[in-house]
């Protein structure tokens, strides 16, 4: 063999060089491909979602309305005890009893001389407190619909929260003033002298408080956007030991301060797992309570609705502009602070009032499931949900099941109802699973 033949035999074929070029073009990637390294996340689903939704209202119009003398500002539900309490800006309080279908009027109190600043019912649904500009706190026995105590305050109150669990000997209530940063703890059945005064918890006046009865933890927020966790009377009002963080730096509780806003209202799910807040920036932030971590953020600001209206027209332009104008007036009024968020009894859904109706959001999938009352020309504000737990516990006998009586059949079904008030309206509205007959309106 000649030398030239040896040289040609040692050369690689052209195909081999092409393969090497293709391997070199992978930019030196070593390991699994991107699709293998980041598998597609599974969609979150809520098992038996339809069953839960059947126990929530879904009507597009309100079923019935009832009247107050003046603008209705508060609507509360006592939960398992089956009472509804409403309050108006002129200091009047009305008690209603939930029936198998609808509600029935029980009693009327001329409770305060001034406007009601806040009212709240304790976790067992047995006690109610209303605080007013007249520097009084009125305590009511809900089940017996009777006033049992009057607390004389030396300051104008802003917000209140019951901070006791079922079975506690002392039914404590925390009240904060509208111009100071002090939280005062009272015995609701005792004298007007505070049991405890907390002065160094907050640096600015408080805006809202709530109580997580499942873990005996109080949550308070101030105008600086600071959110604080503290124990009830059993924990001597100190930092709770049953939360899953040691410092707030490990949580998302500074979210409001970072965004230069503050919570207007907050609520805790019945199982204590979630804390939902509505900020002054019209964003809803839902936290995992024990970790203090954000679960989801929902933008309900007017800018968000402007963008949605431009992308896909939700409603005619004239109607949209009217709703926007109404919402701008609401933001300037005291009623803006009364917009709240409510949980269903499972803690899987939240409901809150918006300019297009009452939205029901699944917290597992983070999707809007329905918009309640969307066909109404009302701007709903404060909501209360009653899911008729007594009716669900009724066990029908054989004769009742076998009968063809439609009234019996409808009575055995759950009657979930949202009781709500609207902006500048002196009526309370009931929204259920039945559409109302408004032909006479």
């Amino acid at each position: 063999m000649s030398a030239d033949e040896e040289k040609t035999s040692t050369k690689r074929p052209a195909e081999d060089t092409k393969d090497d070029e293709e391997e070199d073009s992978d930019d030196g990637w070593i390991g699994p491909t991107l699709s293998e390294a980041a598998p597609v996340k599974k969609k979150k689903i809520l098992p038996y979602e339809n069953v839960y939704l059947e126990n929530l209202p879904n009507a597009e119009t309100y079923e019935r309305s009832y009247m107050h003398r003046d603008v209705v500002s508060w609507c509360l539900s006592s939960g398992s005890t089956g009472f509804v309490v409403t309050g108006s800006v002129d200091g009047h309080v009305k008690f209603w009893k939930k029936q198998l279908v609808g509600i029935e009027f029980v009693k009327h109190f001329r409770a305060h001389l001034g406007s009601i600043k806040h009212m709240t019912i304790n976790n067992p649904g047995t006690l109610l407190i209303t605080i007013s500009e007249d520097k009084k706190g009125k305590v009511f026995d809900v089940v017996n619909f009777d006033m049992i105590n009057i607390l004389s305050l030396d300051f104008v109150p802003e917000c209140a929260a019951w901070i006791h669990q079922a079975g506690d000997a002392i039914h404590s209530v925390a009240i904060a003033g509208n111009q100071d940063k002090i939280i005062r703890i009272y015995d609701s059945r005792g004298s007007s002298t505070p049991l405890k005064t907390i002065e160094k918890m907050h640096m600015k006046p408080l805006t809202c408080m709530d109580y997580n009865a499942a873990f005996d933890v109080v949550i308070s927020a101030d105008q600086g956007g600071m959110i604080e966790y503290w124990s009830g009377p059993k924990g001597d009002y100190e930092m709770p030991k049953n939360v899953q963080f040691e410092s707030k730096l490990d949580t998302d509780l500074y979210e409001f301060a970072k965004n230069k806003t503050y919570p207007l209202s907050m609520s805790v799910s019945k199982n204590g797992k979630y804390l939902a807040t509505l900020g002054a920036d019209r964003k809803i932030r839902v936290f995992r309570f024990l970790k203090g971590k954000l679960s989801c953020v929902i933008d309900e600001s007017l800018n968000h609705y402007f963008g949605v209206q431009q992308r896909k027209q939700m409603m005619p332009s004239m109607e949209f502009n009217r709703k926007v104008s109404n919402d701008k007036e609401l933001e300037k009024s005291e009623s803006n602070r009364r917009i709240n968020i409510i949980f269903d009894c499972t803690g899987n859904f939240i409901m809150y009032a918006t300019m297009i109706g009452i939205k029901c959001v699944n917290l597992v999938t983070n999707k809007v499931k329905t918009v309640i009352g969307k066909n109404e020309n009302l701007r709903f504000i404060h909501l209360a949900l009653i899911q008729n737990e007594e009716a669900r516990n009724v066990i029908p006998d054989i004769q009742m099941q076998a009968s063809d009586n439609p009234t019996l059949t409808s009575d055995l079904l759950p009657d979930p109802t949202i009781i709500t008030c609207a902006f500048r309206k002196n009526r309370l509205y009931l929204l259920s699973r039945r559409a109302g007959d408004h032909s006479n309106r």
Side-chain angles (χ1 to χ4, degrees):
M1 187 183 290
S2 63
D4 293 338
E5 289 176 347
E6 287 181 2
K7 285 179 183 177
T8 55
S9 63
T10 57
K11 285 182 180 178
R12 288 188 297 177
E15 292 180 359
D16 293 347
T17 57
K18 284 181 183 177
D19 292 343
D20 288 345
E21 286 174 2
E22 288 177 2
E23 289 176 6
D24 293 340
S25 67
D26 287 338
D27 297 328
W29 179 267
I30 300 173
T33 62
L34 284 172
S35 60
E36 293 172 348
V40 179
K41 288 184 178 180
K42 289 184 180 179
K43 272 189 175 181
K44 291 183 179 180
I45 59 169
L46 175 63
Y48 312 111
E49 181 185 52
N50 290 336
V51 178
Y52 298 138
L53 288 173
E54 284 175 3
N55 285 285
L56 291 173
N58 63 355
E60 295 182 354
T61 59
Y62 72 82
E63 181 185 7
R64 192 168 294 178
S65 69
Y66 297 91
M67 196 169 178
H68 264 257
R69 291 185 183 180
D70 209 335
V71 175
V72 182
S73 53
W74 299 94
C75 297
L76 300 177
S77 165
S78 67
S80 58
T81 53
F83 281 88
V84 174
V85 187
T86 56
S88 52
V89 294
D90 58 353
H92 288 247
V93 174
K94 288 187 178 182
F95 284 77
W96 314 77
K97 184 72 172 77
K98 182 70 178 74
Q99 304 299 312
L100 290 177
V101 176
I103 61 174
E104 183 181 10
F105 173 73
V106 176
K107 202 168 185 180
H108 174 204
F109 285 93
R110 176 74 168 88
H112 295 280
L113 298 175
S115 176
I116 297 175
K117 296 290 288 183
H118 195 252
M119 54 191 288
T120 180
I121 294 178
N122 66 350
N123 187 61
T126 56
L127 293 173
L128 161 79
I129 186 168
T130 62
I131 53 176
S132 169
E133 293 175 346
D134 62 4
K135 298 184 180 180
K136 299 288 184 183
K138 304 287 181 74
V139 182
F140 296 85
D141 182 344
V142 174
V143 178
N144 297 311
F145 36 90
D146 194 17
M147 186 189 297
I148 58 173
N149 196 16
I150 299 176
L151 299 174
S152 298
L153 312 174
D154 56 358
F155 59 95
V156 178
E158 177 64 28
C159 57
W162 293 97
I163 58 170
H164 73 93
Q165 292 174 309
D168 286 0
I170 297 176
H171 298 145
S172 305
V173 61
I175 302 176
N178 67 342
Q179 294 297 329
D180 59 27
K181 55 189 179 180
I182 301 172
I183 303 171
R184 300 165 179 87
I185 315 298
Y186 295 90
D187 177 2
S188 61
R189 296 176 183 267
S191 67
S192 300
T193 305
L195 299 174
K196 174 81 175 178
T197 302
I198 304 172
E199 298 182 2
K200 298 181 180 179
M201 180 79 69
H202 288 273
M203 301 299 292
K204 291 189 177 181
L206 275 76
T207 58
C208 55
M209 288 190 292
D210 206 352
Y211 177 62
N212 190 330
F215 298 102
D216 190 29
V217 178
V218 189
I219 314 100
S220 55
D222 62 27
Q223 293 177 6
M226 302 301 292
I227 297 179
E228 301 291 347
Y229 282 28
W230 42 287
S231 297
K234 295 176 186 174
D236 200 24
Y237 313 103
E238 299 292 337
M239 174 71 182
K241 296 179 181 178
N242 52 358
V243 294
Q244 296 176 3
F245 60 88
E246 294 182 359
S247 169
K248 283 203 299 180
L249 295 172
D250 303 328
T251 70
D252 294 327
L253 297 177
Y254 287 112
E255 181 75 11
F256 288 95
K258 284 193 294 185
N259 289 284
K260 296 181 180 178
T261 184
Y262 58 89
L264 292 176
S265 66
M266 60 173 64
S267 59
V268 179
S269 62
K270 198 169 184 180
N271 56 17
K273 292 182 179 179
Y274 290 104
L275 168 68
T277 60
L278 172 64
D281 57 356
R282 286 293 184 92
K283 287 185 179 179
I284 289 168
R285 296 170 174 87
V286 182
F287 296 86
R288 292 185 179 88
F289 180 79
L290 289 177
K291 294 183 178 180
K293 291 287 187 180
L294 270 174
S295 172
C296 67
V297 179
I298 306 169
D299 189 357
E300 291 293 340
S301 63
L302 287 178
N303 289 335
H304 165 73
Y305 283 104
F306 281 129
V308 175
Q309 178 74 359
Q310 287 177 354
R311 290 195 302 273
K312 54 173 186 178
Q313 197 170 14
M314 297 185 296
M315 59 188 77
S317 297
M318 187 175 293
E319 185 181 351
F320 179 78
N321 292 335
R322 183 184 60 78
K323 287 181 179 288
V324 168
S325 175
N326 202 29
D327 242 44
K328 286 181 177 178
E329 289 183 28
L330 173 63
E331 284 186 357
K332 298 174 185 176
S333 72
E334 182 71 19
S335 299
N336 190 45
R337 306 176 66 87
R338 300 190 187 111
I339 301 173
N340 67 332
I341 305 166
I342 54 175
F343 285 87
D344 75 323
C345 61
T346 66
N348 294 319
F349 298 87
I350 58 170
M351 282 153 282
Y352 53 91
T354 69
M355 61 176 277
I356 60 170
I358 299 169
K359 284 188 178 180
C360 176
V361 178
N362 185 331
L363 290 179
V364 178
T365 61
N366 291 337
K367 290 184 177 179
V368 178
K369 301 311 297 182
T370 183
V371 180
I372 307 161
K374 62 183 177 183
N375 289 346
E376 295 292 347
N377 292 323
L378 300 166
R379 180 44 165 108
F380 299 120
I381 299 178
H382 201 266
L383 312 177
L385 174 67
I386 189 158
Q387 292 185 276
N388 216 18
E389 296 174 13
E390 293 87 352
R392 289 208 304 272
N393 294 333
V394 172
I395 301 173
D397 58 26
I398 297 173
Q399 292 178 349
M400 292 170 70
Q401 292 182 42
S403 70
D404 292 329
N405 188 337
T407 308
L408 266 180
T409 308
S410 63
D411 284 352
L412 293 175
L413 294 174
D415 180 41
T417 306
I418 287 178
I419 296 94
T420 179
C421 54
F423 183 45
R424 291 177 177 169
K425 299 292 182 182
N426 64 337
R427 306 186 77 88
L428 59 116
Y429 302 90
L430 272 61
L431 295 105
S432 63
R433 297 186 67 82
R434 298 175 298 276
D437 180 14
H438 302 315
S439 56
N440 296 326
R441 271 205 287 176

